[in-house]
Amino acid sequence: MTARPTTTPGRALVVGATGIVGQSVARRLVDAGWETYGLSRSGTTPHPDVRPVRADLSDPAGLTQALADVRPDFVAITAWTRMDTEAENIRVNGGAVRDLLAALSPGGSLKHVALMTGLKHYLGPFEAYGQGEMPDTPFHEDEERLPYPNFYYAQEDELFAAAERDGFTWSVHRSHTVFGFATGNAMNMVATLCAYASLCKDRGLPFVFPGSETQWNGLTDVTDADLLAEQMLWAAQAPAGQDQAFNTANGDVFRWRWLWPQVAAWFDLEWEGYAGAPRTLEASMAGMEPVWRELAATHGLVEPDLSRVASWWHSDADLGREMEVVTDMNKSRTAGFSATRDTRATFFDYAQQYRDARVIP
């Protein structure tokens, strides 16, 4: 291991470096001069200046071996694994945070750990999603935890325990639906809607809004992946951002009935809004895998596997909600992080990135 350059802000480790948020965090760290490592199962990284660390978060011994010489000052945890039950989500994802921080503990280098979670902190886990009494919107960070097992709570508790043991500061970043650039990610609405629109275009189908009346007509917000990355780095370096949980959203609100026709126009499609009941993507796109493979061959796309581009289930869950979902950003602003994003602009910026990268035709 070469000596750390004294001119860098420090050494950083991005956990989940190939994911939709991890890629943004890694790029921003490199641009800011950090010596940056990226942990992933594949051992690949999103940037040539990110040093790869190949490890599986479910393998404590492998983590310890892979991370023995990394000794980061700052760790950004942006990875999770979806399991069939919340008990399994807790075991696997809470355990991943525990084992990761245990593997890094002997090095004694940690100064700050940033953990990405999300709005299921307020909405409940998949098994109790939107059930029972929830806090009023906009959601505030000081809301009490819901009375359901939740892997976000388990991850937080593991983070708090490790911080108490090893003396580092922490931050938790509760994002809404993330807009960003990545493939093979389980929570990627821009890529999903772009794939859906491309298939509609190829099949001569209308671009039908798949969600609920509440989401079609109501206000909502989203989180730009680069904004989340920016907030994580701010929290790592600003005293007001440490030992705190923050909501992370773009700072604007919109209605899907406003944005949906604009997305349709970008793809030159006829569109349909909500019409009596949700018309889910999982149902309408069932069996489209061979069609996508043909589309990929015809247009020279880089990813012929539709499941690595589109996540129908996740977009259906977000767009099918029967409750308003808006976050309050005052805590973050008061602490000194006031960055915002224009949601419409970010959607089309990422859509163009997917087109330029030949992920969509």
Side-chain angles (χ1 to χ4, degrees):
M1 181 66 62
T2 57
R4 185 183 314 190
T6 58
T7 56
T8 68
R11 182 178 293 171
L13 172 68
V14 181
V15 180
T18 58
I20 190 170
V21 174
Q23 290 192 27
S24 290
V25 176
R27 286 193 296 268
R28 184 167 287 276
L29 284 163
V30 168
D31 290 345
W34 289 73
E35 181 185 347
T36 306
Y37 290 74
L39 185 150
S40 66
R41 279 192 298 251
S42 64
T44 59
T45 66
H47 192 287
D49 292 330
V50 175
R51 304 183 185 193
V53 178
R54 186 172 185 174
D56 190 324
L57 291 173
S58 65
D59 177 9
L63 277 171
T64 298
Q65 182 176 1
L67 295 170
D69 295 326
V70 176
R71 294 186 173 87
D73 302 291
F74 168 51
V75 174
I77 304 174
T78 68
W80 75 290
T81 302
R82 186 191 184 199
M83 306 301 293
D84 290 337
T85 67
E86 195 61 17
E88 283 294 290
N89 277 328
I90 290 168
R91 182 185 66 81
V92 170
N93 294 291
V97 173
R98 179 191 64 242
D99 295 339
L100 171 77
L101 297 179
L104 292 169
S105 182
S109 63
L110 285 179
K111 296 178 181 176
H112 187 83
V113 176
L115 170 67
M116 172 191 170
T117 63
L119 296 195
K120 286 188 291 297
H121 186 96
Y122 310 112
L123 292 165
F126 290 116
E127 292 175 5
Y129 193 69
Q131 298 177 17
E133 186 173 346
M134 293 180 299
D136 287 336
T137 55
F139 296 132
H140 298 84
E141 292 91 339
D142 59 359
E143 307 287 358
E144 293 185 5
R145 290 180 175 182
L146 298 174
Y148 308 108
N150 190 320
F151 82 84
Y152 285 163
Y153 304 163
Q155 288 184 309
E156 285 188 349
D157 289 343
E158 295 293 352
L159 174 65
F160 302 156
E164 179 72 19
R165 178 190 68 216
D166 293 335
F168 58 80
T169 61
W170 55 267
S171 56
V172 175
H173 304 264
R174 298 171 185 161
S175 66
H176 198 172
T177 301
V178 176
F179 283 7
F181 180 86
T183 56
N185 185 270
M187 301 191 296
N188 195 339
M189 184 178 282
V190 177
T192 296
L193 294 183
C194 285
Y196 173 45
S198 300
L199 287 164
C200 288
K201 183 79 171 178
D202 183 72
R203 299 286 98 176
L205 301 171
F207 189 55
V208 175
F209 180 72
S212 68
E213 183 176 14
T214 300
Q215 295 307 309
W216 178 250
N217 290 318
L219 289 171
T220 191
D221 56 20
V222 298
T223 303
D224 181 273
D226 285 340
L227 180 76
L228 177 51
E230 188 176 342
Q231 191 190 59
M232 283 185 159
L233 267 66
W234 163 79
Q237 297 173 300
Q242 294 167 4
D243 298 333
Q244 299 291 331
F246 293 105
N247 292 333
T248 315
N250 287 353
D252 60 1
V253 294
F254 68 98
R255 303 180 201 273
W256 278 107
R257 72 186 189 199
W258 169 79
L259 186 57
W260 197 259
Q262 297 179 67
V263 176
W266 200 82
F267 286 94
D268 193 24
L269 287 167
E270 297 295 323
W271 62 273
E272 295 180 13
Y274 176 82
R279 292 174 282 179
T280 67
L281 294 171
E282 282 201 303
S284 64
M285 293 291 101
M288 284 290 186
E289 291 80 8
V291 178
W292 184 262
R293 285 194 294 272
E294 292 176 9
L295 202 63
T298 299
H299 295 277
L301 304 184
V302 297
E303 184 51 76
D305 183 351
L306 181 58
S307 69
R308 289 184 53 78
V309 180
S311 47
W312 309 131
W313 69 271
H314 186 262
S315 292
D316 279 341
D318 279 2
L319 297 176
R321 293 167 175 156
E322 293 292 353
M323 76 290 288
E324 179 184 66
V325 181
V326 180
T327 52
D328 183 89
M329 289 295 295
N330 282 327
K331 181 180 179 182
S332 181
R333 291 168 182 152
T334 301
F337 182 80
S338 57
T340 63
R341 293 293 189 278
D342 181 314
T343 293
R344 179 189 179 280
T346 60
F347 184 96
F348 293 116
D349 177 64
Y350 286 123
Q352 189 62 53
Q353 288 185 47
Y354 283 117
R355 182 165 283 172
D356 292 344
R358 305 209 63 77
V359 176
I360 62 170

